[in-house]
Structure formats: C-alpha cells, structure tokens
Amino acid sequence: MKWLLIICFTLVCCLSFAQQDKVKITAERNDDNTVTFFYEKNDPGSYVIYLYFNTLVNASSSDITQTVKGTKGTLFTLRPIDPKKGIGYGYGYRYLRGVRKAKVDKSFVYLLPYKNEASALVKPLNNISEKFFNKERDNNWAAYQFIFQKEDTICAIRKGKVVDVIDKFDNYKEGLSYSTDTNFVLVEHKDGSFAKYSVLRKGRMMVKKGDMVYPQTPIGVSGSYQANTHEMRLLLYYLSNAEFKRSNNKKTGKQEASRYTYINPLFYDKGETHSLLPNTTYTSSFLPEIIEKEMSKRERKRMYKK
C-alpha cells in the first residue's frame, strides 16, 4: 500500500532570530518500513526544532522538541507497529534560534565592547514597544547604547561563535533614532546566550558567519543614526521558553518575542564587577584570566604565539 506524504510547514519569524529556510526537515523511508527524519540548516549556531504529526498510521509518536547544533544530522526514526506494513504520516514543524533549557550563567563577567583603554558613554535603551506604543516595560528588559567621541573599533565581550552578520545598510538618516534595518553581528555563547552588536558601520565588518571570537576580538566599527555621532547598541538574551503546543502553532510575532529573556550583564571595570550605570563613561580594561576563561589549552597557546 502506498501512503500519501503530506508535509505542512509552519515557520516562525521572531525578532529576526528565526527566518525562513534556516532549517529544513526531510524524511526517508527505509527498507525495514521505518522512517528516518533528518535536518539540515544553512546557518551556524543552535536551533530548537518542534515537529508534530497531523497524520500518523501504523506508528505512534509524541511531538518532538529538540536542540540541533550541527549543519545536518538525524532527528529520530519512526518504527511501524506492524513491521510488515509501511507508515503513513503527515507532519509540520517550527524552529527558533537558541537552546532548549539553556543554563545561562547570569554571574558571568564580560569585558566592555571596545578596545582596551578606549572610552564610551553608556545609556540605557528603551524597549520600542514601551517608547512608541505605550506598552508596559518588560521586567527583564536590558539593552545598552555606547556613545563614542569618534569612530571606534567594537570588540567581542565574550568567547562565542558568530552566527549571523548583516552588512548592507547605511544607518544614518536625518531624524532617525531607531530602525530595524541595521547592520549587526550576532554571537552565540557557550551557555546558549546571545550577544547582538548593532548599529555597525557598513563595509567595516571584521568577522563572518562561523568565526570564533574571544573577548577583545575586533568585530566591526561603530556606526550612527545621526550626523556627527558614533555608537553601538548591545543586547544580550537567551531562549527561555522553547515549549510548543498544538494550540499555539499560530502565535503572533509579539507572543513569540516573549519566549526570550534579556540579560543585564556584569562587566569588568578596573578591578570591579558590576552592572553598567546609566549616563556614565567607562574606560575599557581587562585581566588576562577573563580573556582566557573559556579558552581551551590550544587556544591559549595560539593566542600567546601571536
């Protein structure tokens, strides 16, 4: 008997973190009547995949929620109840960038996002929903604007992998203070958290997708929204709700955004560790042990050979 394969795709677009065609799932029938599901992704970094069956004959399976990190691999295999017959199935899936049940270290100490001994004025950023749509402030919202006296190099604050780079926008437009069309570098950290460095100068990126960066690794150059200004905006967050239900397969972008929790990071500041105070100028400094904290022995040797 031939079974009709029906594949339903339901893709999530969330804060530009998950986009169409980042992840693809395929299924393959085997000679023993089992069916193996595979994933492929053309984007580095971690994704949570949610797969559900809307039709399933001669097999039993609950919905699948799984974190994937490699470029391709096996998700799972369906086994027939009656091994002499094939399996009939139809499925859909969704995905989000991040790690399911990420164990984020909120006590981690970061370096300031610019070169040693450089300075910047720090200002807190409003959530755009609060500022422009009169919504209540998100309790976990935290984001920073770093303002420089002149164009300056932006550096990584922690070791991680570059999982996304956008380098195509001329940010400056008269009267503009915010735009979703901005150049940025997105870095995923070991604990599943992300750092997004945005408002970077077009054509001045120093990293690409898949690169490994370390504290003080140059990643780009400060950009601007206004004439004669130089800035960079920093946002740290992680996926805190990666659970799906059939009833929420059509969540709105706003509802999906609530799946992420923002981090108010601790920074190293001339021998002290603390959160950044608003409207305060900070000069970057570091200790070798902070830079080396997440490095392997091989990475340390490579660093000191330079």
Side-chain angles (χ1 to χ4, degrees), residues 58-273:
N58 195 34
S60 177
S61 176
S62 57
D63 295 349
I64 305 297
T65 305
Q66 188 172 325
T67 300
V68 298
K69 295 179 179 290
T71 56
K72 60 181 178 180
T74 302
L75 284 174
F76 65 97
T77 298
L78 277 178
R79 301 189 179 281
I81 296 173
D82 183 346
K84 295 181 180 180
K85 296 180 180 179
I87 297 173
Y89 61 94
Y91 67 94
Y93 65 89
R94 305 173 69 196
Y95 55 84
L96 292 167
R97 187 188 287 281
V99 175
R100 187 186 185 197
K101 298 181 179 179
K103 297 180 180 179
V104 174
D105 182 2
K106 295 184 179 180
S107 66
F108 192 91
V109 179
Y110 300 84
L111 292 186
L112 289 165
Y114 36 92
K115 285 185 174 181
N116 188 39
E117 298 186 355
S119 298
L121 173 65
V122 177
K123 291 188 176 184
L125 288 173
N126 292 321
N127 187 308
I128 58 172
S129 295
E130 175 190 7
K131 183 174 182 179
F132 296 107
F133 302 106
N134 297 317
K135 303 296 184 181
E136 292 185 5
R137 173 180 284 270
D138 191 327
N139 289 331
N140 64 51
W141 173 257
Y144 295 98
Q145 178 187 34
F146 295 85
I147 301 174
F148 303 89
Q149 293 294 319
K150 59 181 181 179
E151 183 178 275
D152 214 336
T153 300
I154 304 304
C155 299
I157 60 176
R158 179 180 178 180
K159 177 184 174 181
K161 178 178 286 189
V162 177
V163 295
D164 203 1
V165 176
I166 296 296
D167 183 18
K168 61 181 180 180
F169 298 110
D170 294 310
N171 288 132
Y172 170 66
K173 292 181 181 179
E174 190 66 38
L176 185 68
S177 62
Y178 172 80
S179 173
T180 56
D181 294 336
T182 184
N183 303 316
F184 67 84
V185 171
L186 183 65
V187 176
E188 180 177 346
H189 305 135
K190 181 180 179 180
D191 61 2
S193 62
F194 296 88
K196 186 176 183 179
Y197 308 77
S198 60
V199 196
L200 300 179
R201 185 74 61 192
K202 179 182 177 181
R204 303 290 297 278
M205 297 297 185
M206 302 177 188
V207 294
K208 62 184 183 302
K209 280 187 181 183
D211 284 353
M212 187 66 69
V213 296
Y214 305 89
Q216 284 286 291
T217 296
I219 62 173
V221 172
S222 57
S224 65
Y225 279 134
Q226 301 174 16
N228 302 317
T229 64
H230 307 277
E231 67 168 284
M232 185 277 296
R233 302 187 180 193
L234 179 67
L235 181 68
L236 280 85
Y237 61 89
Y238 64 96
L239 180 62
S240 54
N241 178 8
E243 305 308 312
F244 296 85
K245 294 180 180 179
R246 296 293 183 93
S247 60
N248 69 7
N249 279 348
K250 295 183 179 180
K251 274 183 173 290
T252 65
K254 178 182 175 182
Q255 289 171 314
E256 293 294 359
S258 65
R259 292 181 176 276
Y260 292 86
T261 294
Y262 303 95
I263 300 170
N264 188 5
L266 300 174
F267 286 92
Y268 177 77
D269 176 33
K270 296 181 179 179
E272 298 181 355
T273 299

